[in-house]
Structure formats: structure tokens, C-alpha cells
């Protein structure tokens, strides 16, 4: 299956991306096509899951959970290591699939597949370290004479609902960590990236992943809703919008949840910052993947004394970005996921301009390709400040007081990551403490992530941390063994002085 997916992508023919249910590729539901947002033609086709197939997938997952859990951690790790090497080997073909389906520049696609390889390798390492504890029960009088042990057992059936903006790497996080923990996983693919998702699943299967360990379903809320509500599912990992995340939580009920939701990331540029470096970094990370990242630079707050200098340097850096064909290795900014997403950038920049902001660059689109847009000085009530743009737009605002700019950053209902450019360690510590975000990137913009470091937010950005080690905690349950009357700690309450020497 992997070869056919990759070959079709390379030959520029329509890529057939079937579901994978109960150990078999293919389905009986209606077909759905994906039109490439830049190419403006059908690039992939899949089969949507029927209600009966959802039920069959759930039944198969329930019956497969025990077999997957019995696979030794070392065996799981070996499979994930092979998958890591396979991802690197197929880097170019996988990046091309991302470009076809999403308009993501191949240079960004290559970076995503590099991260897939790293993520699988990290998951393999974490699988080798899953263990437990010998608890200090004899430290209290009622525990004397007993031993208590724990280990982390697989939760059983995991549901992974992945987004379109990084469908390969975020699937690697969810599915890789779930398998490392010993679970079977049902994957609900994003409708915009069926082929890229199927390719990662096929890559894992060809690397030795047992058929019982994964299933892949295509569809929208009519598929995701029943899966979230199903009693067979023990844990759900979802990445997407805050609104959809709330719907997932309502449907899930009393299940374990890892929700990585929206963002409205702010970056602060202080008066002591290297303006040229800050401008270049914000331009590079504000428009990568056309700004379609939950930690993309959206709001840049610059000290008033350096505001105009930053705007000049930032605009000059944005002017160097090449916009166009995502299949061209030189392209920096491709298309957005669809025309509606690009129109959001255009309409929100126009709204800000009507309220007194200056649109220094962009504010236009060609189909689904939004020109990199700079909005200078929008009011705090503007959509580009209040809401998540999730597009090729950066708003730049002046500030005078550091405490006040912290408050401005925190005014957002989101709290995923923030960036800070300053040489002042006191400000770094203050921002780390006071910003209502899951992480602070000091010396860089908000848009930076290492896949083995905890990642997640607060407020409407969700909860839980999506990195292999943290996710394995969510994908496992602690099981305790109490040995009554058997103690490795010693079972005497006092020393018998008559027997001492």
C-alpha cells in the first residue's frame, strides 16, 4: 500500500487512500475527493466510513487490545525504530503528498517528515523505559509487613483525531505514543489529508506494526462523534479547534482526554532586543505553512521606542519570502488549506484597516494562496487580535510598559505558547511566571517546538501535554499489586534486643 500511495503522488495521478479496518485496506462507503488548494485539481480520493464500519472497527479494536498489550516493550520499540528509518527513507515522496493535498511547500513538508522520524525514535526510546515503582508502604505503621508495586498498563483502545496542518507528525505523536504504551489505536484522519495519513499508517504497518494495533477511518463529525462516544474507547487525543474540542469532550464523557486546541500566539520584542534578528525570525515563523499552526506568530508586541524600526525590518524580511508553487523547493509560502481560509485573512485585514490599522503588506489572495499580510497597529478589539487567524497574517502592535504588555498577551482566551526577545533575564523569568501559556520561547518567536519536550496549553488552548513521554502517561493506567504479609522492607516494629549481637 505504501508504494502505491507514494507512486501515485510522484506520477501526479489521483492517489487512492482507502481506510484500513479490521486488518484490511478498503471500505464500502461513499467516496470523497480532495482537491489540491494550489493545483486546483483532484489529488486524492478515499472512502468514507459507514455506520456499520465504525461499529466493526470498534469491535475489532476491543478484541485486539489484549494481543497488542502482550507485545513486549522492546518489540514495540524495534517497530517504531524501523518506522523512524522508513520515514527518513521516504522523506521526499511523503513531503510531495503533503504539498499536493495541502499546498504545503515541500521544504516545510521535508521538515515535517524529519520530525516524524524523530518522533517515532523518541516513542521507541520511551517504550523501553515504561516501568513502575516499589512504593514505600513500610514508612507508615499500617504498611509494615507489606509490599506494594505498580506498573503502567495500556489503557486499551485509543482514538487519535488528527488535524490537517501537520497530519504526518501529529499522527506520529498520537499513534506512536499509543503503540509505545501498548494500545490499539483507531485513527480518524483529517478530510483534507487522507493520502498523507494513509501513508503514515502504511509505513508503520510495513515496519512491522501488527494489524491489530491500528485502524484508519475517513470522514467528518458523523464518524468522529460515534467514535468519541463509544464505550470501547478508553482515551482520546484530539488536535483541532477549540469549538470542535468542546464537542469532542461532550461526546466523550468520562474518558481520558488530551486536547491540543487553538492558539493566538503573542511574541514580545523588548527595547533591548536585536531588532534585525527578531524581525527575521518573526517573518520566517509567522508565515511558515501559511500561518496554519496553533503556535504561529500572530501578535507581535514591540516596544514603542523600536516599533517603526521593527516594522521596517519586518516588512523587508517578509519581502524576501517566495510565494507560489508548493512543489517548487524554493517556495517559502504555499497555499492555505482552501479558499475560505485565505478569504479569512483578506477579510480580517480589511476589517482592521477600516478601524484605523495600516496593512503594510498583503491583504490579498489568489485562490487559496493568501499573500503574507502585515497589519500594523490594529485596535485591541480587531479580529486579528482577538481571534485565531490561523493564516498568513501577523499583527504588529506597540507597547510602553512590560507589565501592561503581559496583560495584553493574557487577554486572549487562548494560552498555548509565547515568544520573547530580550537580553534581560529578569524579564524572562517574569514572563515565564506571569504569561498564561503552556510554554515561553525566550530568544525566539512563539513558533518553535521540540517534539520530545512537553507541548500543550491552558485556557481554550486545551489540556494535557502532547509529547511522547507525557502522552504515554495519558495512554496508560497505573495498576497496583499489594502483597499482604510479604515485605522487602522488613516487618519488625521494634528491635529485639535479646537477639542482637
Amino acid at each position: 500500500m505504501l508504494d502505491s500511495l507514494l507512486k501515485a503522488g510522484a506520477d501526479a495521478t489521483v492517489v487512492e487512500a482507502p481506510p484500513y479496518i479490521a486488518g484490511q485496506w478498503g471500505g464500502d462507503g461513499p467516496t470523497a475527493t480532495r482537491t489540491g488548494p494550489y493545483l486546483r485539481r483532484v489529488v486524492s480520493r478515499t472512502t468514507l466510513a459507514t455506520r456499520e464500519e465504525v461499529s466493526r472497527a470498534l469491535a475489532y479494536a476491543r478484541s485486539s487490545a489484549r494481543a497488542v498489550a502482550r507485545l513486549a516493550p522492546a518489540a514495540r520499540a524495534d517497530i517504531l525504530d524501523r518506522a523512524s528509518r522508513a520515514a527518513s527513507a521516504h522523506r521526499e515522496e511523503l513531503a510531495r503528498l503533503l504539498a499536493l493535498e495541502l499546498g504545503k511547500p515541500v521544504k516545510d513538508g521535508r521538515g515535517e517528515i524529519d520530525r516524524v522520524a524523530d518522533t517515532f525514535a523518541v516513542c521507541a526510546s520511551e517504550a523501553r523505559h515504561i516501568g513502575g515503582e516499589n512504593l514505600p508502604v513500610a514508612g507508615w505503621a499500617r504498611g509494615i509487613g507489606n509490599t506494594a508495586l505498580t506498573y503502567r498498563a495500556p489503557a486499551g483502545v485509543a482514538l487519535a483525531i488528527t488535524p490537517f496542518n501537520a497530519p504526518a507528525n501529529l499522527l506520529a505523536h498520537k499513534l506512536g505514543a499509543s503503540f509505545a504504551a501498548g494500545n490499539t489505536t483507531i485513527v480518524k484522519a483529517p478530510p483534507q489529508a487522507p493520502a498523507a495519513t494513509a501513508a503514515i499508517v502504511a509505513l508503520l504497518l510495513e515496519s512491522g506494526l501488527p494489524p491489530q494495533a491500528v485502524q484508519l477511518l475517513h470522514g467528518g463529525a458523523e464518524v468522529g462523534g460515534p467514535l468519541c462516544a463509544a464505550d470501547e474507547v478508553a482515551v482520546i487525543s484530539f488536535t483541532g479547534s477549540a469549538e470542535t474540542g468542546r464537542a469532542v469532550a461532550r461526546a466523550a464523557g468520562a474518558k481520558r482526554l488530551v486536547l491540543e486546541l487553538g492558539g493566538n500566539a503573542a511574541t514580545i520584542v523588548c527595547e533591548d532586543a536585536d531588532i534585525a534578528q527578531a524581525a527575521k525570525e518573526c517573518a520566517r515563523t509567522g508565515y511558515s505553512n501559511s500561518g496554519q499552526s496553533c503556535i504561529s506568530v500572530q501578535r507581535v508586541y514591540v516596544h514603542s521606542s523600536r516599533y517603526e524600526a521593527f516594522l521596517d525590518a519586518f516588512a523587508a524580511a517578509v519581502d524576501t519570502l517566495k510565494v507560489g508553487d508548493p512543489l517548487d523547493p524554493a517556495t517559502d509560502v504555499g497555499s492555505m488549506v482552501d479558499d475560505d481560509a485565505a478569504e479569512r485573512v483578506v477579510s480580517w485585514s480589511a476589517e482592521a484597516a477600516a478601524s484605523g490599522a495600516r496593512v503594510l503588506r498583503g491583504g490579498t489572495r489568489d485562490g487559496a494562496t493568501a499573500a503574507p499580510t502585515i497589519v500594523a497597529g490594529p485596535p485591541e478589539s480587531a479580529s486579528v487580535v482577538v481571534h485565531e487567524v490561523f493564516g498568513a497574517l501577523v499583527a504588529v502592535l506597540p507597547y510602553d510598559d512590560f507589565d501592561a504588555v503581559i496583560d495584553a498577551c493574557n487577554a486572549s482566551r487562548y494560552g498555548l505558547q509565547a515568544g520573547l526577545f530580550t537580553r534581560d533575564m529578569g524579564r524572562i523569568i517574569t514572563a515565564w511566571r506571569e504569561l498564561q501559556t503552556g510554554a515561553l520561547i525566550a530568544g525566539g518567536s512563539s513558533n518553535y517546538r521540540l517534539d520530545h519536550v512537553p507541548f500543550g496549553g491552558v485556557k481554550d488552548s486545551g489540556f494535557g501535554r502532547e509529547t511522547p513521554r507525557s502522552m504515554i502517561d495519558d495512554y496508560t493506567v497505573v495498576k497496583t499489586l499489594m502483597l499482604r504479609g510479604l515485605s522487602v522492607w522488613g516487618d519488625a516494629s521494634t528491635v529485639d534486643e535479646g537477639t542482637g549481637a
Side-chain angles (χ1 to χ4, degrees):
M1 178 55 65
L2 180 61
D3 286 345
S4 66
L5 287 162
L6 299 181
K7 184 177 185 301
D11 292 346
T13 57
V14 176
V15 183
E16 301 292 342
Y20 185 72
I21 304 171
Q24 298 291 327
W25 289 101
D28 300 324
T31 60
T33 58
R34 170 62 180 166
T35 297
Y38 184 84
L39 296 177
R40 319 296 281 187
R41 67 169 176 83
V42 174
V43 295
S44 60
R45 180 167 44 236
T46 191
T47 303
L48 304 179
T50 65
R51 184 179 302 177
E52 292 73 19
E53 287 171 333
V54 170
S55 297
R56 183 155 61 95
L58 289 166
Y60 183 79
R62 180 179 56 206
S63 65
S64 300
R66 183 177 297 180
V68 179
R70 287 175 174 171
L71 194 64
R76 300 176 212 154
D78 287 343
I79 292 166
L80 290 164
D81 275 331
R82 287 196 293 272
S84 174
R85 294 190 293 271
S88 295
H90 294 295
R91 178 179 187 246
E92 292 299 319
E93 305 101 300
L94 291 167
R96 183 178 175 85
L97 279 183
L98 293 170
L100 291 173
E101 289 194 309
L102 300 169
K104 175 178 287 191
V106 289
K107 66 166 60 173
D108 288 346
R110 290 167 182 159
E112 182 172 348
I113 301 307
D114 289 342
R115 291 177 63 187
V116 168
D118 286 349
T119 299
F120 282 147
V122 173
C123 289
S125 176
E126 295 297 340
R128 300 182 192 279
H129 290 90
I130 295 174
E133 292 183 276
N134 183 353
L135 301 176
V137 293
W140 283 262
R142 291 187 64 244
I144 293 174
N146 302 304
T147 299
L149 307 172
T150 67
Y151 82 101
R152 287 199 163 271
V157 178
L159 171 61
I161 303 177
T162 53
F164 74 80
N165 61 317
N169 188 43
L170 293 181
L171 176 57
H173 272 277
K174 298 176 192 300
L175 180 51
S178 179
F179 179 63
N183 296 304
T184 183
T185 308
I186 299 174
V187 176
K188 210 290 285 181
Q192 303 90 340
T197 305
I200 297 299
V201 171
L203 183 147
L204 278 161
L205 289 167
E206 294 193 11
S207 298
L209 189 79
Q212 297 91 338
V214 66
Q215 296 180 87
L216 169 63
L217 301 181
H218 299 282
E222 76 285 352
V223 173
L227 288 172
C228 290
D231 291 338
E232 292 87 346
V233 173
V235 57
I236 300 171
S237 176
F238 169 82
T239 301
S241 71
E243 290 71 25
T244 306
R246 282 192 286 269
V248 167
R250 287 193 299 268
K255 291 186 177 73
R256 290 169 171 240
L257 294 174
V258 180
L259 301 179
E260 198 273 281
L261 308 177
N264 179 359
T267 292
I268 302 171
V269 181
C270 295
E271 64 269 30
D272 65 339
D274 182 329
I275 293 298
Q277 176 202 355
K280 183 177 179 180
E281 185 70 11
C282 287
R284 184 182 67 82
T285 58
Y287 304 99
S288 59
N289 199 21
S290 293
Q292 295 171 124
S293 168
C294 49
I295 54 174
S296 184
V297 179
Q298 179 173 328
R299 296 175 291 157
V300 181
Y301 292 92
V302 185
H303 191 270
S304 297
S305 64
R306 311 299 301 279
Y307 181 66
E308 292 298 333
F310 177 87
L311 283 175
D312 290 342
F314 184 53
V318 170
D319 288 341
T320 68
L321 299 175
K322 180 176 180 179
V323 182
D325 185 354
L327 293 171
D328 182 348
T331 294
D332 299 298
V333 182
S335 62
M336 296 184 65
V337 70
D338 54 37
D339 288 14
D340 288 344
E343 181 58 28
R344 181 173 63 247
V345 171
V346 172
S347 63
W348 285 10
S349 62
E351 173 203 278
S355 299
R358 293 179 289 159
V359 179
L360 301 183
R361 295 292 186 277
T364 62
R365 70 179 177 97
D366 180 4
T369 302
T373 299
I374 303 173
V375 178
E380 292 289 344
S381 59
S383 294
V384 298
V385 177
V386 175
H387 304 299
E388 180 179 30
V389 175
F390 211 69
L393 184 154
V394 176
V396 186
L397 304 94
Y399 80 90
D400 294 306
D401 177 74
F402 191 72
D403 289 337
V405 78
I406 294 289
D407 290 340
C409 293
N410 288 341
S412 172
R413 66 189 180 104
Y414 298 105
L416 194 50
Q417 288 196 169
L420 175 63
F421 289 93
T422 184
R423 296 182 177 91
D424 187 332
M425 194 64 197
R427 283 177 175 161
I428 292 173
I429 296 300
T430 297
W432 188 24
R433 182 182 66 243
E434 299 296 335
L435 283 171
Q436 296 168 3
T437 59
L440 171 66
I441 312 300
S445 77
S446 60
N447 194 357
Y448 182 74
R449 179 182 178 184
L450 294 176
D451 292 290
H452 59 286
V453 172
F455 178 81
V458 298
K459 302 193 289 188
D460 276 3
S461 288
F463 49 81
R465 292 297 178 264
E466 192 171 76
T467 195
R469 177 176 294 183
S470 300
M471 294 185 79
I472 286 172
D473 286 347
D474 289 307
Y475 282 142
T476 54
V477 295
V478 175
K479 297 188 72 172
T480 302
L481 172 65
M482 181 70 72
L483 299 172
R484 295 294 306 276
L486 296 173
S487 177
V488 298
W489 302 104
D491 56 9
S493 298
T494 60
V495 174
D496 187 344
E497 296 182 0
T499 61

